[in-house]
Amino acid sequence: MDFTTKLDRLAEVAVKVGLGLRPGQELVITAPVEALPLTRLITRHAYQAGASLVTAFYADDDAALARYELGAPEGFDTAPGWLYEGMAKAFQGGAARLAIAGDNPTLLAAQDPEKVSRANRARSKAYQPALQLIVDFHINWSILSYASPAWAKMVFPGLPETEAVAKLWDAIFAASRIDEADPVAAWHAHNARLHARRTFLNDRRYDALHFQGPGTDLTVGLAEDHEWAGGSESARNGIICNPNIPTEEVFTTPHAERVSGRVTSTKPLSYQGTLIEGIAVRFEGGRIVEATSRTGETVLRKVLETDDGAARLGEVALVPHSSPISKSGILFYNTLFDENAASHIALGQAYNKCIRDFETLSEEALTAKGANRSLIHIDWMIGSDEIDVDGISASGAAEPLMRAGEWVI
Ligand code: ZN
Ligand code: ZN
């Protein structure tokens, strides 16, 4: 199979599996300029599937850097609220949402962390209403990645650029099941496996999870009426979509006030252009009270200060160490891939979707059940082949869920 065929298959998977796009539906795409070839193929597949209108917005690394080099310092609290308001309007009108990731993970590494933090904060705030419609699944949505040269060179620093890009594409295609005889059918089978796992966990109704391993002794209380999710999701518009391509996780909402103990990251976190490695934090009453990291500590501290919920958890996810992405042995410096190589937690905003009957609950009721609130949602990896996970029932009894990073259920 040649590259163009594989890219076309990825575009087909994005439209049919990722979005489940319906005839007559509008589609809003955001993509880096490097992803133009994939975006065009997706646009074609979307119109073939009956899209009424496909609108793409492109981001450019060079333009982003120009802002830091030349932009007035007082401008860093500005975000295009008018654009995000328009996106929210489109989603309320039934448009589907596709994001293509793959930007240079260290683009902003050399920039003033204060400016980076202000710009991120302004953007997060302005984007919040649109983002809420997405994370609450008012609409069908999906994210997938494009192998940009800057990203590929970071993943394979020893290789010439063209080889690095080709190798990263191979990894993306393999993880996204594009190499299978029938990728769409392979995704249906994969979704069935993930759904079986989430059904098991939902039936057990654990009160907490316990993670144990080197540098980690962490108890994550689960939110009241939490629901495990994983694989394809049914959006509130009735459309079944796969929000992440690829995906290997089952995940739920922790209780914002019932997390305690120590945890150490097992993979570097690439956050808005900075690599944060060797994170070690201690939780008390759900809040991080001590935090260090080997690199990127200034950025980590800024992240934790974003708002009150930024130092609390909004997600806990279980991924076996033997997942295909983990087995590839590649560190992708991209959460969409790395979070599917290991169990993880996320700082910040919880998914309402992971609370039973969330549609009928007020913001206050969701908070009372333990759902965290924040402008951020940042996943970082805490799983490895040295981590054991137990499910703790309401009576305090522990049941083994994972041993040495593998499911034992
Ligand atoms: Zn996750
Ligand atoms: Zn997450």
Side-chain angles (χ1 to χ4, degrees), residues 25-67:
Q25 214 181 1
E26 263 191 64
L27 172 60
V28 176
I29 304 177
T30 53
V33 283
E34 290 84 358
L36 190 59
L38 177 62
T39 313
R40 284 176 172 165
L41 290 170
I42 288 170
T43 302
R44 298 186 74 85
H45 276 283
Y47 281 123
Q48 271 168 21
S52 60
L53 177 67
V54 181
T55 307
F57 296 93
Y58 293 94
D60 175 15
D61 284 354
D62 195 66
L65 280 180
R67 184 185 192 190

Side-chain angles (χ1 to χ4, degrees), residues 22-324:
R22 283 272 172 84
Q25 214 181 1
E26 263 191 64
L27 172 60
V28 176
I29 304 177
T30 53
V33 283
E34 290 84 358
L36 190 59
L38 177 62
T39 313
R40 284 176 172 165
L41 290 170
I42 288 170
T43 302
R44 298 186 74 85
H45 276 283
Y47 281 123
Q48 271 168 21
S52 60
L53 177 67
V54 181
T55 307
F57 296 93
Y58 293 94
D60 175 15
D61 284 354
D62 195 66
L65 280 180
R67 184 185 192 190
Y68 286 88
E69 285 164 19
L70 305 167
E74 57 273 23
F76 283 84
D77 301 309
T78 310
W82 50 270
L83 175 63
Y84 301 139
E85 277 167 33
M87 282 190 181
K89 238 184 218 174
F91 302 153
Q92 276 155 351
R97 165 83 167 98
L98 184 75
I100 302 180
D103 341 31
N104 178 356
T106 57
L107 183 71
L108 302 179
Q111 305 306 322
D112 177 5
E114 180 69 34
K115 283 183 185 170
V116 175
S117 155
R118 281 168 59 204
N120 286 338
R121 198 168 196 292
R123 192 195 153 278
S124 299
K125 212 171 161 188
Y127 191 47
Q128 183 65 22
L131 183 64
Q132 206 55 51
L133 293 169
I134 297 170
V135 297
D136 284 353
F137 283 91
H138 279 264
I139 51 156
N140 45 326
W141 60 275
S142 192
I143 307 176
L144 77 167
S145 290
Y146 186 88
S148 65
W151 177 28
K153 268 161 55 185
M154 174 150 197
V155 178
F156 303 107
L159 296 179
E161 185 174 294
T162 44
E163 260 176 70
V165 169
K167 232 178 145 174
L168 183 55
W169 269 125
D170 284 345
I172 293 173
F173 290 142
S176 310
R177 299 183 153 72
I178 298 307
D179 299 328
E180 311 265 343
D182 182 346
V184 175
W187 269 97
H188 289 318
H190 179 52
N191 278 324
R193 283 191 296 272
L194 290 170
H195 289 170
R197 202 139 267 159
R198 83 182 192 192
T199 301
F200 174 92
L201 291 164
N202 279 330
D203 290 347
R204 303 305 287 174
R205 307 255 30 106
Y206 291 119
D207 180 64
L209 300 180
H210 182 242
F211 292 81
Q212 178 83 52
T216 292
D217 182 355
L218 180 74
T219 301
V220 179
L222 300 180
E224 205 181 304
D225 291 332
H226 66 273
E227 279 275 314
W228 286 85
S232 61
E233 286 290 338
S234 186
R236 287 160 83 175
N237 59 10
I239 299 174
I240 291 172
C241 61
N242 258 97
N244 288 0
I245 301 245
T247 187
E248 302 289 339
E249 61 173 340
V250 288
F251 60 99
T252 194
T253 296
H255 195 295
E257 292 175 359
R258 295 203 299 116
V259 181
S260 60
R262 291 179 178 280
V263 63
T264 304
S265 66
T266 51
K267 283 173 185 289
L269 163 65
S270 172
Y271 176 70
Q272 310 269 4
T274 303
L275 266 194
I276 309 176
E277 297 170 285
I279 303 170
V281 302
R282 188 166 71 80
F283 285 89
E284 235 178 64
R287 197 166 208 293
I288 291 177
V289 291
E290 284 168 32
T292 58
S293 65
R294 211 168 51 243
T295 67
E297 192 171 305
T298 318
V299 175
L300 175 66
R301 288 187 184 284
K302 287 250 175 268
V303 164
L304 294 174
E305 286 164 11
T306 309
D307 52 29
D308 181 57
R312 298 179 187 272
L313 295 188
E315 179 193 345
V316 58
L318 298 175
V319 179
H321 181 69
S322 61
S323 90

Side-chain angles (χ1 to χ4, degrees), residues 7 88 147 158:
L7 200 65

Side-chain angles (χ1 to χ4, degrees), residues 244 249 251 315 317 339 344 351 377 379:
N244 288 0
E249 61 173 340
F251 60 99
E315 179 193 345
E339 76 160 346
H344 55 271
Y351 293 115
H377 178 99
D379 300 89

